[in-house]
Amino acid sequence: MPSSQLKEKTAGWVNWMKQHSLPRWGAEGINPENAAAYEQFLFSGAVDSSAPMRMRVQARQMYTFSMASALGWMDSVEAKRIVDGIAGFSMRYGQHPSGEGFVHILAADYTIADSKRDLYDHAFFLLSCAARYKAFKDEAALALAEQIITFLDREFGQVGGGWLEGDYDTDRRRQNPHMHMFEALLSLHNATGNGKWLARAGEIFGLFETRFFDAKFGVLREFFDHSWTLLEHPDADIIEPGHLMEWVWLLRWYERVSGHNTSVYADTLYEKALTDGFADDGLLMDGVSPTGEVIKGTKRSWPMTELVKASLVQAQAGYVGAEDIALEALNRLEEAYISREHLGLYVDQLDEHSLVIGDTAQASILYHLLVAVMVAEAHCA
């Protein structure tokens, strides 16, 4: 039974999402001329209409407003209007000139600034398709998901498993876009009930077991060469505590729907992040070494949302004390990152001394916040 403190804190977060953040991003955060989702708000609280636009942000905002509708956190007609508008904008301006896939970045005038097709971006378009189908039974979104996965398999699929980074040259392959492909495929299975999506998620779980998970140090590796061998580069030593937590949540999700026991991995990653990941102020750091030395002492907001999610699924799996960790994470997330001056907004990153880095509220963070609150509300139900 969730504690009364966790229920109260979660209710406050749900109210913040429903009354402040979603309304602000759904109104001021949408360009009324073409229905695009803006990239960010400025420190002043005004929207930044001059920033280049990442197409992955369009996908994340479609996911966010679709799930807000599915959760009953906003009016479904209004949510669908916003999502349909972003979807139409994405097809008009963001579709690759070849007609397959989406470009990477648009300039502020909505011309193509970077035409590369990136796996990470497309993982979020798949995720948005799942949410659109779940919330609105949007058959066009499901058809788009089929088109995207077919495109990815044909153009980027590899014999060694997974996909290339995209249609551009790079010395590496990353677990990160594959983690979000795992999330998208699990979401498509959840939305449709079709086992083929779960089977595809199982392929990525196989990559996690054989490539991403490092049993020697109990960590998640980030960067590999094209044969899935650990990259010979200083970046190969970077361990992201936030990603460890994100995988804990995904592994427990996969366990629930597949029946495959993931406890040995989930517990190991969770304990490693708890042991090595925290700064003195109780926030997760951006990067440590496999043995726990600090590499990046900065602290982005999203790892704390992943700590909430991981702790709650660990609590459900019987991990003693995890629910208390989730409550503390919700408290620290609110204290350190949520704006008091501009309702519904937040900051993205703090430095080693807990001072704010940058002066914008990134649209991309709203997805992380929404999912954390969604998981907390479900836990407390």
Side-chain angles (χ1 to χ4, degrees), residues 13 74 248 275 374:
W13 271 102
M74 65 185 301
V248 170
T275 301
M374 175 178 74

Side-chain angles (χ1 to χ4, degrees), residues 368-379:
H368 286 285
L369 291 165
L370 178 130
V371 179
V373 180
M374 175 178 74
V375 171
E377 185 185 54
H379 181 83

Side-chain angles (χ1 to χ4, degrees), residues 165-178:
E165 291 289 299
D167 62 353
Y168 52 92
D169 291 332
T170 176
D171 67 346
R172 64 193 59 189
R173 299 172 76 183
R174 297 177 298 158
Q175 75 76 25
N176 192 13
H178 290 80

Side-chain angles (χ1 to χ4, degrees), residues 55 94 116 203 251 294 341 360:
M55 287 307 299
K116 71 183 178 186
E203 296 172 13
L251 288 167
V294 177
E341 183 179 2
T360 59

Side-chain angles (χ1 to χ4, degrees), residues 129-279:
C129 289
R132 289 165 61 191
Y133 186 76
K134 183 177 181 65
F136 311 120
K137 291 295 180 284
D138 188 336
E139 294 289 346
L142 205 56
L144 179 59
E146 297 279 4
Q147 293 169 19
I148 289 173
I149 198 71
T150 299
F151 161 70
L152 294 177
D153 288 344
R154 186 185 70 246
E155 298 296 328
F156 306 150
Q158 293 295 291
V159 174
W163 300 269
L164 295 175
E165 291 289 299
D167 62 353
Y168 52 92
D169 291 332
T170 176
D171 67 346
R172 64 193 59 189
R173 299 172 76 183
R174 297 177 298 158
Q175 75 76 25
N176 192 13
H178 290 80
M179 175 182 71
H180 288 297
M181 287 293 293
F182 192 43
E183 178 186 13
L185 293 165
L186 288 172
S187 296
L188 282 163
H189 174 253
N190 174 264
T192 66
N194 192 325
K196 72 177 182 180
W197 300 114
L198 181 59
R200 295 305 302 271
E203 296 172 13
I204 301 178
F205 177 68
L207 275 179
F208 168 85
E209 287 191 297
T210 60
R211 301 297 182 182
F212 304 158
F213 181 74
D214 183 341
K216 178 180 178 181
F217 295 103
V219 298
L220 178 78
R221 293 293 188 170
E222 295 283 346
F223 301 106
F224 306 84
D225 66 19
H226 289 277
S227 65
W228 285 124
T229 301
L230 191 64
L231 192 69
E232 293 186 7
H233 189 280
D235 286 350
D237 288 333
I238 295 175
I239 306 300
E240 295 195 27
H243 282 163
L244 270 61
M245 292 297 184
E246 201 160 2
W247 267 102
V248 170
W249 174 64
L250 290 167
L251 288 167
R252 291 299 189 186
W253 183 356
Y254 182 69
E255 179 178 86
R256 290 194 304 273
V257 296
S258 72
H260 191 113
N261 191 330
T262 67
S263 291
V264 64
Y265 302 121
D267 290 348
T268 299
L269 294 179
Y270 187 66
E271 290 167 7
K272 184 68 173 178
L274 291 180
T275 301
D276 294 343
F278 283 102

Side-chain angles (χ1 to χ4, degrees), residues 10-31 36-38 41 47 57 59-76 78-83 86 131 135-136 338 342-346 361-374 377:
T10 296
W13 271 102
V14 172
N15 182 71
W16 179 83
M17 289 294 304
K18 291 169 63 174
Q19 300 300 323
H20 303 301
S21 201
L22 289 168
R24 187 159 199 160
W25 284 101
E28 299 169 52
I30 301 294
N31 186 331
Y38 284 119
F41 281 85
V47 73
V57 168
R60 285 193 182 196
Q61 295 298 69
M62 282 191 282
Y63 171 86
T64 295
F65 289 108
S66 295
M67 292 306 299
S69 175
L71 291 163
W73 290 358
M74 65 185 301
D75 178 73
S76 61
E78 175 66 5
K80 191 173 189 304
R81 183 190 66 79
I82 294 170
V83 171
I86 300 173
F136 311 120
I338 301 303
H342 304 296
L343 291 177
L345 300 183
Y346 39 79
Q362 301 284 330
S364 58
I365 298 300
L366 186 59
Y367 141 82
H368 286 285
L369 291 165
L370 178 130
V371 179
V373 180
M374 175 178 74
E377 185 185 54

